[in-house]
Amino acid sequence: MTDIPIAGKRPFRWHIGVFLAPAVIIYTAIMILPLFATLNMALFNISADGVSQFVGLANFQTLFGDPRWSDAFWNALGNNAWFFLIHMVVQNPIGVLLAALLSSPKLRMAAFYRTAIFIPTILSFVIVGFVWKLILSPIWGIAPGLLDAVGLRWLYAPWLGQEAYALTTLALVSVWQFVGIPMMLIYAALLTIPDEILEAAEIDGVTGAQQFWKIKLPLILPSIGIISILTFVGNFNAFDLIYVAQGALAGPNFATDILGTFLYRTFFGFQLQLGDPHMGATIAAAMFGIILVGVCFYLFTIQTRLRRYQF
C-alpha cells in the first residue's frame, strides 16, 4: 500500500494504524486470550487436596476413554452431527431455492416475501424456543388443531417428548428461524452475476430453470461454500434453542443433548451434578478442535476447488 501524503498531516497509512491497533487489542483481549486460557485450563485438574496441578492430556483421555464421560460426549457429538446435517440438506437448499425465486424479475412483491422470510432470524432464541414449544404442546398447542382442520390429525405426535423425533423437530425449528440467512446471501450473489452473461445465455436459448442450473448455480458455488462452512461453525456452537426448549438436561433422556449443552452442564453444574471447570474446558477445547479441523478442510480443499468458478 502506497502512503498518501496529506498537507500538514502524516501519511494515510498512519491513520489506518490508529484505528487498526485498538481493534487488534480489543480482539486479542476478548477472543485470543480467553481461548488460550481455556486451552490451558484443559491441561490442569484439581488434586485430592484441592490444589490445581498439571495433568497434560489426561483430561482428554478421560473424556474420550472413561465411559462416564465418553458415552455422553459421543452421544452429544452424534446429535450435533445430525443437527448440522439437517441444516445442510434442508435449510441451505431451501435458501438457494427461495433466493432463485425471489431474484426473478417477474415476481411481484419480492421485497415483502424477502422481509417476511428473514424476520424470524432477528427473533430471540428464547422467544422462538418458547413459542414453538407452546405450538407443539399436545395439551395447549395449536398444532393438533391445525392438523385436525385439514384432516391430518393422525400425523400429530408429541414430537418434543419422543426420543426418536425431538432432535429432528428442534433442528427443523432452527431451519425455520435461519433459512433467511442463506436466502439473503445467495440472493446477493445472484445479483452480482453480470447481465452480459445472462443475456448471452438467453441468446443461446438457455432460460428459466435451465439457466439457473447451467449458468447461475456454478457462479454462486463459492457463496454456497461459504454458507456451508458458516452453517458448520454455527451448528457446532449451538446451545440456545436446545437449552430453551429442552433445558440443560436436553431431554428426553439426553436425546437432544449436543456439545453446547454437555459443556454447560459440565462446566457450571446442574441439579445434583457439580461443576468441573477443567473438564468443561476440555470439552470446549474438543469443540474448538472439531471446528478448526472442519474449517481447515474447507479452506484447503473445497474452497481451493471452488475458485475456478469465480469470475
Side-chain angles (χ1 to χ4, degrees), residues 160-181:
L160 291 180
Q162 297 184 355
E163 295 183 27
Y165 304 112
L167 183 63
T168 302
T169 302
L170 289 176
L172 293 176
V173 170
S174 180
V175 166
W176 168 83
Q177 182 179 10
F178 291 111
V179 71
I181 293 178

Side-chain angles (χ1 to χ4, degrees), residues 201-281:
E202 291 178 357
I203 293 175
D204 293 337
V206 181
T207 58
Q210 189 179 19
Q211 184 183 89
F212 175 79
W213 289 107
K214 293 185 176 180
I215 306 298
K216 294 182 178 180
L217 183 60
L219 293 177
I220 63 174
L221 281 180
S223 297
I224 294 177
I226 293 174
I227 292 170
S228 299
I229 195 61
L230 291 176
T231 303
F232 172 78
V233 174
N235 280 273
F236 275 86
N237 277 319
F239 166 76
D240 312 71
L241 181 62
I242 303 295
Y243 180 77
V244 171
Q246 302 294 86
L249 292 178
N253 195 25
F254 301 105
T256 59
D257 195 22
I258 57 176
L259 292 174
T261 51
F262 181 43
L263 166 63
Y264 175 84
R265 290 196 312 274
T266 303
F267 196 99
F268 297 103
F270 187 76
Q271 293 183 355
L272 298 179
Q273 178 180 347
L274 298 177
D276 188 339
H278 294 285
M279 285 303 298

Side-chain angles (χ1 to χ4, degrees), residues 101-110 202 207-208:
L101 294 175
L102 295 176
S103 64
S104 173
K106 299 180 181 179
L107 180 65
R108 297 182 179 181
M109 300 178 65
E202 291 178 357
T207 58

